[in-house]
Amino acid sequence: MEYDVIIVGSGFAGSTLARKFADDDKKVLVYEKRPQIAGNMYEETLENGIRVHKYGPHIFHTNNKQVFDFLKQYGPWYFYEHKVVGKIKNTFVPIPFNFKSIELLFNESEAKEIEQHLLKKYKGLKTISIFDLLHDSDDVIQKFGSFVYKNVFENYTAKQWSIPVSEIDQSVINRVPVVLGYDDRYFQDQYQYMPKYGYTRIFERLLEHNNISIRLSTNALEDLSIKDSKIYWKCQEFKGIIIYTGAIDELFHYQFGALPYRSLDLVFENYDMNYYQPSSVVNYPNEEDYTRITEFKYFNDQIIDHATTILKEYPKKYNVEDENCIPYYAIISEENQKKYNQYYELAQKIPNLYLCGRLAEYKYYNMDAVIARALDLYEKVGK
Ligand code: FAD
Ligand code: UDP
């Protein structure tokens, strides 16, 4: 079969684009190097009957109606507002840190004073960055900011990124604000839903199309090569569209060096009990080696007696030489962006090659941002 479009990777970037092109009657070939589709959103059911997110907890949230409308076509979603607690000074308090967290960790008069100062200074705002609190001219607020920084952000961030907190791009830490009130949701987005039958089912339906062929357990780079800014597929020049959602440095054989990432050891544990912890995710900013524990039963209200599965996330350095090590988080910095730009320039010289997704663009993208980016790209090249 002649293909119009070749897509490398079956996460949300690749699968969204595959579907869009297929609906437009283009013949699409999707390569996926893993034995299954769905990228990092893949879910599987364990022997104890619990459905888990194999590559870490994924909670959908967005303010982008177009993205959610697109997803809704591929299966039912249920309303789910994610709530997280963090173990701070041996107490479980809401994260993002909010007024309830203040009241659990400070005595009544201190809590009242902090809340009053915050409300007066930031009247009308729902959330605030920890950096604004740290640099506030009001002593009470500044002291409170230092407390939150020390107990919520400093050690968690050091564990997660293993570089001095001062070197982390502030946008990363600002993903988790301080809440000026009692809203205890982890995300403040308008649309917060989870797929009723899991993400894998959504991907199956996205890719279920007569015009889409899928090659699993195959690294696309076995069939694709680049020479003189042209793409060759199985040794023939390929003039159709190539969508690449894999790691950009791998595509160009690491010629400018590997782009740095943070990785995770994901350790699943099964227990013979109804519930292990008080909420789906508990953050451990301080004493423990892991950053958070997810208990999957809370997602999709899985009702299974005397069994539960949890996941502990241990951050680690990404090692490009180790096949089992997954590049989870791009490390956003000027230096890394410069290296990325060198690869990007090479990619730009190939007129029918398009980069999309967290690895190809080296971005800290949430799922919704990747889908938005894929829909946008389709508008530009698909028509
Ligand atoms: P991926 O999902 O990584 O898909 C890329 C696919 O390409 C992979 O399946 C890979 O195997 C394949 N591939 C790569 N190279 C090749 C090749 N050469 N040949 C064949 N196949 C190839 N976002 C949220 O919105 N909410 C969350 O709660 C959330 N939680 C997260 C938790 C963790 C621990 C992490 C790391 C990320 C989380 N994210 C979350 C972000 C989310 O995972 C990404 O936005 C999403 O995976 C991006 O989709 P993608 O298609 O770009 O990449
Ligand atoms: N963070 C923190 N303490 C927390 C939660 C988050 O310091 O309890 C910081 C940390 O640097 C983390 C970043 O905020 O990498 C973003 O957190 P988020 O929960 O969005 O991370 P993700 O879900 O993408 O792993």
Side-chain angles (χ1 to χ4, degrees), residues 8-13 31-34 39-41 55-59 61 218-221 245-246 250 264 292 313 328-329 357-359 365-368 370:
V8 180
S10 68
F12 265 132
Y31 279 95
E32 174 50 63
K33 65 168 137 177
R34 294 178 181 164
N40 283 354
M41 282 59 68
Y55 301 98
H58 279 73
I59 295 103
H61 55 101
T218 314
N219 188 328
L221 303 182
T245 79
E250 186 184 358
L264 296 167
R292 60 186 173 195
E313 294 177 44
Y328 279 118
Y329 296 95
R358 65 182 190 96
L359 296 165
Y365 273 146
N366 282 333
M367 294 181 275
D368 65 325
V370 167

Side-chain angles (χ1 to χ4, degrees), residues 86-88 95 150-157 159 283-288 290-291:
K87 188 182 143 212
I88 316 277
I95 304 280
K150 229 177 167 30
N151 288 286
V152 178
F153 291 98
E154 196 172 37
N155 297 328
Y156 187 115
T157 302
K159 273 193 263 187
N283 283 6
Y284 289 86
N286 299 308
E287 295 84 6
E288 292 74 6
Y290 40 85
T291 49

Side-chain angles (χ1 to χ4, degrees), residues 288-335:
E288 292 74 6
D289 291 339
Y290 40 85
T291 49
R292 60 186 173 195
I293 298 183
T294 300
E295 184 165 15
F296 291 96
K297 264 177 106 171
Y298 285 102
F299 300 147
N300 310 83
D301 287 330
Q302 301 187 50
I303 299 163
I304 292 164
D305 279 342
H306 303 297
T308 194
T309 298
I310 62 154
L311 166 64
K312 292 179 177 163
E313 294 177 44
Y314 296 86
K316 66 175 184 186
K317 191 174 184 257
Y318 171 61
N319 176 5
V320 73
E321 314 270 314
D322 177 354
E323 265 188 28
N324 297 317
C325 193
I326 296 176
Y328 279 118
Y329 296 95
I331 304 175
I332 308 302
S333 75
E334 249 175 59
E335 191 189 338

Side-chain angles (χ1 to χ4, degrees), residues 8-245:
V8 180
S10 68
F12 265 132
S15 298
T16 301
L17 280 154
R19 183 60 186 225
K20 293 299 285 182
F21 281 108
D23 280 346
D24 188 31
D25 223 19
K26 301 282 192 297
K27 301 275 179 268
V28 181
L29 174 62
V30 177
Y31 279 95
E32 174 50 63
K33 65 168 137 177
R34 294 178 181 164
Q36 76 273 327
I37 56 168
N40 283 354
M41 282 59 68
Y42 178 69
E43 284 185 55
E44 63 184 0
T45 303
L46 303 180
E47 265 177 32
N48 61 7
I50 307 223
R51 197 163 69 222
V52 302
H53 299 191
K54 185 171 178 176
Y55 301 98
H58 279 73
I59 295 103
F60 182 77
H61 55 101
T62 191
N63 283 317
N64 188 327
K65 183 172 184 303
Q66 189 202 5
V67 165
F68 188 49
D69 285 346
F70 173 77
L71 286 176
K72 277 195 300 196
Q73 300 174 88
Y74 303 102
W77 293 68
Y78 75 95
F79 181 67
Y80 171 81
E81 289 186 315
H82 190 48
K83 294 188 181 171
V84 172
V85 293
K87 188 182 143 212
I88 316 277
K89 295 189 178 294
N90 276 323
T91 307
F92 290 115
V93 308
I95 304 280
F97 211 85
N98 69 10
F99 282 9
K100 176 86 187 289
S101 323
I102 296 176
E103 288 156 23
L104 284 165
L105 291 172
F106 292 87
N107 71 39
E108 209 180 321
S109 67
E110 284 171 337
K112 212 168 181 183
E113 187 183 28
I114 296 166
E115 288 169 11
Q116 278 171 352
H117 280 243
L118 287 171
L119 287 176
K120 191 166 167 218
K121 182 76 187 262
Y122 298 112
K123 203 172 168 207
L125 287 183
K126 288 190 172 144
T127 61
I128 188 85
S129 156
I130 183 62
F131 298 106
D132 288 331
L133 300 182
L134 271 181
H135 300 121
D136 203 287
S137 55
D138 178 321
D139 255 14
V140 172
I141 295 182
Q142 201 266 331
K143 240 172 106 189
F144 167 66
S146 299
F147 176 90
V148 177
Y149 184 75
K150 229 177 167 30
N151 288 286
V152 178
F153 291 98
E154 196 172 37
N155 297 328
Y156 187 115
T157 302
K159 273 193 263 187
Q160 177 77 357
W161 298 98
S162 187
I163 45 175
V165 181
S166 55
E167 288 176 25
I168 310 281
D169 194 272
Q170 290 197 355
S171 66
V172 171
I173 290 168
N174 283 339
R175 288 167 61 89
V176 180
V178 171
V179 172
L180 302 167
Y182 291 92
D183 184 352
D184 61 351
R185 298 170 305 163
Y186 201 65
F187 306 111
Q188 285 77 42
D189 290 343
Q190 189 177 354
Y191 306 98
Q192 306 196 27
Y193 291 88
M194 290 286 267
K196 187 162 177 203
Y197 304 115
Y199 288 98
T200 308
R201 186 75 197 105
I202 296 285
F203 278 85
E204 283 165 358
R205 290 190 61 185
L206 257 173
L207 294 172
E208 211 168 66
H209 197 293
N210 285 339
N211 289 335
I212 299 179
S213 311
I214 306 173
R215 247 167 242 177
L216 293 178
S217 304
T218 314
N219 188 328
L221 303 182
E222 289 166 15
D223 287 349
L224 289 171
S225 58
I226 299 171
K227 199 170 168 230
D228 299 330
S229 300
K230 289 185 182 136
I231 299 244
Y232 292 82
W233 180 59
K234 294 182 181 266
C235 303
Q236 301 270 329
E237 189 183 346
F238 183 75
K239 297 207 166 143
I241 288 174
I242 303 267
I243 305 283
Y244 185 79
T245 79

